[in-house]
């Protein structure tokens, strides 16, 4: 199992992002240590993280296209 910091390095994502994913139920840790509050992830989370990266990339590209398309139309209309 990996700590949140270790998994952040493996998944190339920030620790804060992992915390937010946990809060939103998108990437929930396998275990949480009650004494120190460490969150632990395992290998199965790696594939989930890769899928999330791909999804985020697609969403950013779509939003950029929509933004650019909207700006282009605004210039034509004004």
């Amino acid at each position: 199992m990996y700590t949140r910091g270790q998994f952040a390095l493996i998944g190339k994502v920030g620790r804060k992002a992992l915390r937010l994913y946990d809060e939103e139920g998108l990437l929930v840790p396998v275990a949480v240590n009650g004494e120190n509050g460490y969150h632990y992830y395992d290998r199965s989370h790696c594939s989930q993280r890769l899928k999330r990266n791909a999804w985020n990339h697609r969403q950013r590209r779509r939003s950029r296209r929509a933004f650019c398309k909207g700006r282009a139309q605004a210039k034509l209309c004004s």
Side-chain angles (χ1 to χ4, degrees):
M1 288 202 294
Y2 306 105
T3 63
R4 182 180 281 163
Q6 292 169 331
F7 189 75
L9 291 173
I10 293 167
K12 297 180 182 177
V13 64
R15 287 179 291 174
K16 288 183 181 181
L18 288 174
R19 182 174 45 85
L20 291 173
Y21 292 156
D22 179 25
E23 290 173 2
E24 294 177 10
L26 298 173
L27 195 64
V28 181
V30 174
V32 179
N33 187 326
E35 293 178 18
N36 58 19
Y38 278 30
H39 292 67
Y40 294 98
Y41 298 85
D42 65 6
R43 286 188 168 266
S44 69
H45 288 100
C46 292
S47 63
Q48 291 177 7
R49 179 66 204 138
L50 292 173
K51 289 176 189 174
R52 179 133 342 271
N53 276 347
W55 185 83
N56 285 337
H57 181 70
R58 282 194 306 271
Q59 290 301 103
R60 282 194 299 268
R61 287 183 66 201
R62 285 182 186 150
S63 65
R64 273 192 227 129
R65 274 192 232 129
F67 176 75
C68 292
K69 185 178 178 181
R71 286 188 59 140
Q73 288 177 351
K75 287 181 183 179
L76 293 174
C77 295
S78 33

